[in-house]
Amino acid sequence: MSAERFDHLEKMLAQLIHMVGHNNAITEELCQRMDRLETKVDNLETRMDSLEAKVNSLDAKVNGLETQVNSSFDGLIGMVHLLGKKMEAIPRIEAKMDVLNERVFEQEADINMLKRAK
């Protein structure tokens, strides 16, 4: 092998080593960047899980509140119906009160006549 060819091979080998070293450096940098990205994705996933748990908790609270509101509303409707029935009874009660008032008035008149008769 001639010296000139040997020098040429030596230069090519040096370039190859330089390229491999450069590629290794780029590969290492890419690996580090991928590691940082993976860490960020893991943190994001953790935050998303936390957010999902909070949303589920809020959903449960809203459903519980909705149930309470519906129950309260049903109770209120029942009270309005009961009040309506009571209002319907007022004229009958007033009529009975008028009858009782009339009887009391008659009894007072009878008592007064009995007092005078003595």
Side-chain angles (χ1 to χ4, degrees), residues 103-116:
R103 284 184 186 169
V104 168
F105 183 71
E106 288 174 2
Q107 288 177 354
E108 278 182 356
D110 289 345
I111 290 171
N112 285 333
M113 281 191 351
L114 287 173
K115 283 183 181 178
R116 287 186 201 146

Side-chain angles (χ1 to χ4, degrees), residues 1 3 11-12 16 25 32-33 35 38 43-44 52 60 62 64 79 82 88 92 97 99 101-102 105 112 115-117:
M1 199 187 256
K11 285 180 185 178
M12 284 178 53
L16 183 61
Q32 289 173 358
R33 290 175 73 185
D35 287 344
E38 184 178 16
N43 289 339
L44 183 58
E52 185 178 10
V62 166
M79 292 167 99
L82 181 62
E88 291 171 0
R92 290 191 313 263
M97 291 292 291
V99 169
N101 194 21
E102 195 175 305
F105 183 71
N112 285 333
K115 283 183 181 178
R116 287 186 201 146

Side-chain angles (χ1 to χ4, degrees), residues 26-109:
I26 290 174
T27 302
E28 184 62 33
E29 181 185 346
L30 287 175
C31 286
Q32 289 173 358
R33 290 175 73 185
M34 286 299 293
D35 287 344
R36 287 192 304 266
L37 183 59
E38 184 178 16
T39 301
K40 287 181 180 181
V41 168
D42 288 345
N43 289 339
L44 183 58
E45 187 176 328
T46 300
R47 290 172 63 193
M48 288 297 293
D49 289 345
S50 174
L51 182 59
E52 185 178 10
K54 288 177 182 178
V55 167
N56 288 339
S57 174
L58 183 59
D59 188 42
K61 288 178 183 177
V62 166
N63 287 337
L65 183 59
E66 183 179 346
T67 301
Q68 287 178 349
V69 166
N70 288 340
S71 175
S72 297
F73 189 69
D74 290 343
L76 186 58
I77 289 173
M79 292 167 99
V80 167
H81 287 298
L82 181 62
L83 182 59
K85 288 179 182 177
K86 298 293 182 187
M87 292 295 289
E88 291 171 0
I90 288 176
R92 290 191 313 263
I93 293 171
E94 285 178 341
K96 288 179 182 179
M97 291 292 291
D98 288 342
V99 169
L100 287 174
N101 194 21
E102 195 175 305
R103 284 184 186 169
V104 168
F105 183 71
E106 288 174 2
Q107 288 177 354
E108 278 182 356

Side-chain angles (χ1 to χ4, degrees), residues 13-27:
L13 185 58
Q15 285 178 346
L16 183 61
I17 290 172
H18 177 72
M19 286 174 51
V20 168
H22 181 70
N23 285 344
N24 283 343
I26 290 174
T27 302

